[in-house]
Each structure stands twice: as C-alpha cells, then as structure tokens.
C-alpha cells in the first residue's frame, strides 16, 4: 500500500517537473484554494484536522488527477477503457436485475461491512433502487451513464468493437434503466442520445450506423419488451416518476432539483455565509459523522451550496468558477474536434457535463466518476495545440 502511494506521489511530481498538466493554471489555483481552505477550516472553522484533510483531498489530489489521466493516457487508452466498460455493463445489468428482485437481506444486496439492511434505496411499489457493485445507488446511475456514452459512440464507430458485445451492452443499458428505478439515469441517457443525434445532424454519414443501432434496439425490445420480469420493472419505474412528479412539481421541479441542484440559490445566499465558510470537509458524510456522530447534511445537499458553505464566498465561488471554466473549454474543444470528424470527445462530453460542473464531489463515487470521465475526455483530444494544452 505504501508503494502504491509513493508511486502516485512520484507521478504527480514528475508531471509538475515536466510541466505536463494540460492546464497547470487550473491545478495551481485549485491547489492554492485547497491549502487556504485547510488553514481557514482549522483556525476559523470547525477545527477538526481529519475532517479538514478529508475535504481538502478533493482539491489537492482528485482534481490534479484529472489532468494526470489526460496527460499520460492517449486516445487508444480511452477506447480500451470504453471497451472494458461496455463489457462490464452486461454482467452489471444482470446483477442489478437480480438485486431488484432479491430482498435487501440477500447476499447480492448486502450493505457495506455486511450490513443486513442492504445497499438498496427506497424506490416504488416496495422495490428498492439497486446499487450494483457500488455502496449506493448513485453508482449504478453513474456507471451506466458512462457506459451509455461509450455504447452510443461505438454505434457511431462500430468497427472498433465486437458487434455482439455491443448489442448485448445495449440490451443491458435498456434493462438497467427501469431496473435502476433512477430518474437520474433516464435523464442522463436522454441527454447522451441528444448529443448523438446532434452528431448525426452535423455528420450525416453516421445516419446509417444510427439506423442499424435502431434496428438492433427494436429487435432487442421484441425479445424482452413483453417479458413479465421486464414489464414489472417498467411499472415500478413509471410509479416512481409519478410519485416524484407529484412531490417535486412536475418536470420543471424534477429537472431543477436533479441537475441545477439549487445552484442559483447557493450563489444568491452566499452573502449570508461566513466569509471563510464553516470549514472544508464539513459538508461530506465522513465529516458529518466525525463532527456530529451521525450522517446528515450539516451544510447543504447541493454541491454549490456545500462549496460555499464550507469555504465561504471567495474560495467557494472560485472553485465553482474553475469548474465552469474547465467545462466550457471542454465543450469548445470537443465541438471543434467534432467539426473535424472526431466524435469520441463529443460523446464523452455528454456525460462529463452531467457530473463535472455540479456533481456532488462530497460523495466518493460521484467524485471518482467525475475525475475519471474528464481525465478520459482530455486524453481523447490527443492533439497538439488543443485548447486544454494552452496554459495562457
């Protein structure tokens, strides 16, 4: 374990020495904010060293890791990762289907540390949202969102993968949507499909691949669409949507809470927060457990509210600005490459924009997927002169 950490530190130092970070300015600013947040948390905030370090690791370790991945991976590595994700999505879909129909005390639903209460989360009609191989249900949503971006990419470029595996993964994704009972996954897949259709509108040569993909989906639905095990999941999913629509005020409320996550409110209420915040790490579950003895949101459930509540208006808004600026530059570069016929960055961007600008980094699974997808996206550029390689 020590050797693993030493190798990681050595890789970071090597990247700094060679000035290989594609956007060293962003990393430097985030590092300065992270160090500043440590001091303000210890001397002006909650004062707990362990909570502080747990919160600061996001800015000091995970954020630089994004650019390390983007530097040391190349386009072929990104494609290999995609093939692996597509392969894994098939057994993952079978697993969540099994979890869906199994009691929470079953082995496949066992919680962290063997917790008999299970890892599922309340869904609808007595069924629970399955967690897959993760500790919480958001892992299922994030994994299949990542898988969807790759699956639709490979349908646009089918020569790079075995078509039987691609069809199996597509069926797995179709199964995962209702069995996950996740509105977030449904929303993500719709957005990713919209990105794919935009690709076709800009590059009509991909229309043939889309027609083939549509026929494959139709054939798959003929086999599973009328099966009782699948229709039950569809009924549960529909009930979940109806219940959420009633409690959140329809589609407008659902999308506002799901994606915007109180971002505008977080910014407007920043004037009411302490200037240096209540201390970095306080808004995480681990920080909550250490400070209060229980798992609750001590600051805010929304990501932007957490950042401002932990670090105050100056540092919190600075972190938000960096994430938005990086997102914008990723969008501009991906669109530029799409015009040149490179569709991989554009399809990865479809998922990156869902988790990077406002993803809940306080939650380790979301933090991990956000770090991975943006690192892979930068690596997929693989061109000198890329906007992300311009440090000016």
């Amino acid at each position: 374990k020590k050797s693993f950490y030493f190798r990681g530190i050595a890789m970071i130092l090597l990247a700094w020495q060679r000035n290989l970070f594609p956007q060293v300015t962003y990393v430097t600013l985030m590092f300065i904010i992270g160090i500043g947040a440590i001091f303000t948390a210890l001397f002006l905030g909650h004062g707990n060293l362990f909570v502080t370090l747990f919160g600061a690791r996001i800015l000091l370790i995970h954020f630089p890791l994004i650019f390390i991945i983007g530097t040391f991976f190349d386009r072929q590595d990104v494609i290999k990762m995609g093939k692996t994700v597509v392969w894994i999505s098939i057994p993952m879909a079978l697993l969540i289907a099994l979890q869906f129909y199994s009691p929470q005390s079953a082995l496949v639903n066992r919680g962290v540390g063997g917790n008999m209460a299970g890892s599922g989360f309340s869904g609808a009609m007595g069924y629970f949202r399955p967690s897959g191989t993760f500790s919480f249900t958001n892992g299922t949503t994030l994994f299949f969102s990542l898988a969807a971006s790759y699956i639709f990419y490979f349908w646009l470029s089918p020569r790079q993968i075995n078509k039987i595996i691609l069809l199996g993964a597509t069926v797995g994704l179709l199964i995962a949507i209702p069995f996950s009972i996740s509105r977030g996954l449904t929303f993500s897949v719709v957005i990713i499909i919209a990105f794919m259709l935009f690709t076709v509108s800009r590059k009509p040569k991909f229309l043939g691949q889309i027609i083939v993909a549509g026929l494959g989906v139709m054939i798959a639905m003929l086999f599973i669409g009328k099966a009782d095990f699948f229709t039950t999941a569809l009924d549960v999913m529909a009930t979940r949507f109806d219940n959420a629509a009633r409690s959140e005020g329809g589609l407008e409320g659902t999308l506002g809470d799901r994606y915007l996550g109180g971002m505008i409110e977080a910014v407007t209420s920043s004037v009411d927060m302490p200037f240096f915040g209540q201390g970095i790490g306080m808004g995480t579950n681990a920080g909550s457990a250490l400070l209060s003895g229980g798992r609750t949101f001590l600051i805010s459930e929304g990501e932007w509210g957490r950042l401002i509540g932990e670090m105050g208006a100056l540092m919190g808004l600075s972190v938000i600005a960096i994430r938005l600026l990086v997102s914008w530059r990723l969008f501009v570069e991906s669109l530029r490459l799409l015009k040149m016929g490179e569709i991989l960055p554009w399809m990865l961007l479809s998922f990156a924009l869902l988790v990077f600008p406002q993803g809940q980094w306080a939650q380790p699974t979301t933090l991990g997927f956000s770090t991975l997808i943006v690192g892979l996206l930068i690596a997929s550029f693989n061109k000198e002169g890329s906007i992300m390689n311009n440090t000016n």
Side-chain angles (χ1 to χ4, degrees):
K1 187 177 292 185
K2 290 182 179 179
S3 174
F4 174 79
Y5 290 134
F6 284 140
R7 286 199 300 269
I9 293 172
M11 183 176 291
I12 293 174
L13 293 176
L14 177 64
W16 275 101
Q17 180 184 1
R18 296 182 179 178
N19 197 27
L20 290 178
F21 282 123
Q23 264 296 352
V24 67
T25 303
Y26 297 143
V27 178
T28 302
L29 289 174
M30 201 69 90
F31 189 83
I32 293 172
I33 293 172
I35 296 298
I38 289 176
F39 282 97
T40 57
L42 292 177
F43 298 106
L44 300 175
H46 53 69
N48 187 299
L49 176 62
F50 296 104
V51 173
T52 298
L53 294 177
F54 184 80
R57 89 196 192 286
I58 299 173
L59 307 183
L60 303 181
I61 298 177
H62 288 85
F63 188 79
L65 180 59
I66 290 172
F67 300 99
I68 291 176
I69 295 173
T71 298
F72 288 96
F73 277 37
D74 59 26
R75 190 175 186 276
Q76 288 305 311
D77 294 321
V78 177
I79 293 175
K80 289 177 182 178
M81 178 68 76
K83 291 179 179 179
T84 302
V85 170
V86 170
W87 273 85
I88 295 175
S89 65
I90 299 174
M92 185 72 79
L94 297 176
L95 174 61
I96 67 170
L98 181 60
Q99 291 175 325
F100 179 89
Y101 282 111
S102 300
Q104 289 300 296
S105 58
L107 181 62
V108 291
N109 281 322
R110 210 60 67 80
V112 175
N115 186 355
M116 295 294 291
S119 60
F121 194 65
S122 177
M125 297 174 59
Y127 291 91
F128 289 78
R129 284 174 269 177
S131 61
T133 58
F134 304 93
S135 61
F136 190 62
T137 60
N138 72 322
T140 298
T141 298
L142 293 166
F143 173 81
F144 278 103
S145 297
L146 173 63
S149 65
Y150 272 116
I151 288 171
F152 292 124
Y153 162 72
F154 283 123
W155 275 116
L156 294 174
S157 186
R159 294 182 180 180
Q160 300 187 67
I161 194 171
N162 183 290
K163 291 183 177 61
I164 295 177
I165 296 300
L166 181 57
L167 181 59
T170 305
V171 174
L173 177 62
L174 293 175
I175 290 175
I177 293 173
F179 278 107
S180 68
I181 326 179
S182 171
R183 293 175 299 147
L185 177 57
T186 306
F187 176 61
S188 297
V189 171
V190 169
I191 295 299
I192 294 168
I193 291 176
F195 270 69
M196 180 182 67
L197 294 178
F198 181 81
T199 301
V200 176
S201 70
R202 298 300 297 265
K203 301 290 180 180
K205 67 178 182 178
F206 293 119
L207 182 60
Q209 287 92 318
I210 297 300
I211 293 175
V212 172
L215 291 174
V217 171
M218 290 177 61
I219 293 172
M221 291 303 296
L222 288 176
F223 283 99
I224 65 174
K226 296 183 179 181
D228 290 340
F229 84 98
F230 188 70
T231 55
T232 298
L234 288 175
D235 291 340
V236 174
M237 186 70 173
T239 302
R240 165 75 179 145
F241 268 81
D242 289 341
N243 293 340
R246 285 195 294 268
S247 63
E248 295 179 0
L251 180 61
E252 181 180 353
T254 299
L255 295 181
D257 291 337
R258 271 285 163 190
Y259 185 70
L260 298 178
M263 293 187 292
I264 297 176
E265 181 182 355
V267 175
T268 56
S269 63
S270 62
V271 294
D272 300 324
M273 298 289 180
F275 184 75
F276 290 109
Q278 301 180 61
I280 193 169
M282 187 175 179
T284 65
N285 282 336
S288 171
L290 290 172
L291 293 173
S292 68
R295 292 180 57 183
T296 184
F297 294 104
L298 295 179
I299 295 181
S300 173
E301 184 176 0
E303 176 66 1
W304 285 18
R306 178 190 70 84
L307 290 171
I308 297 172
E310 285 188 348
M311 294 180 285
L314 177 62
M315 291 186 290
L317 289 174
S318 296
V319 172
I320 293 171
I322 291 172
R323 290 169 66 168
L324 290 176
L325 183 57
V326 171
S327 300
W328 170 250
R329 294 170 78 88
L330 291 170
F331 170 79
V332 171
E333 180 69 353
S334 298
L335 183 59
R336 184 183 74 85
L337 292 176
L338 177 63
K339 294 177 181 178
M340 298 171 60
E342 293 287 340
I343 60 175
L344 178 59
W346 182 253
M347 292 309 302
L348 294 179
L349 178 73
S350 64
F351 176 48
L353 291 183
L354 293 172
V355 295
F356 185 76
Q358 52 77 62
Q360 294 176 319
W361 286 1
Q363 207 280 334
T365 308
T366 304
L367 175 62
F369 274 98
S370 182
T371 301
L372 177 63
I373 184 58
V374 179
L376 293 174
L377 174 54
I378 295 174
S380 72
F381 295 157
N382 198 30
K383 287 180 178 290
E384 292 184 3
S386 165
I387 285 179
M388 297 305 296
N389 287 322
N390 178 13
T391 59
N392 296 323

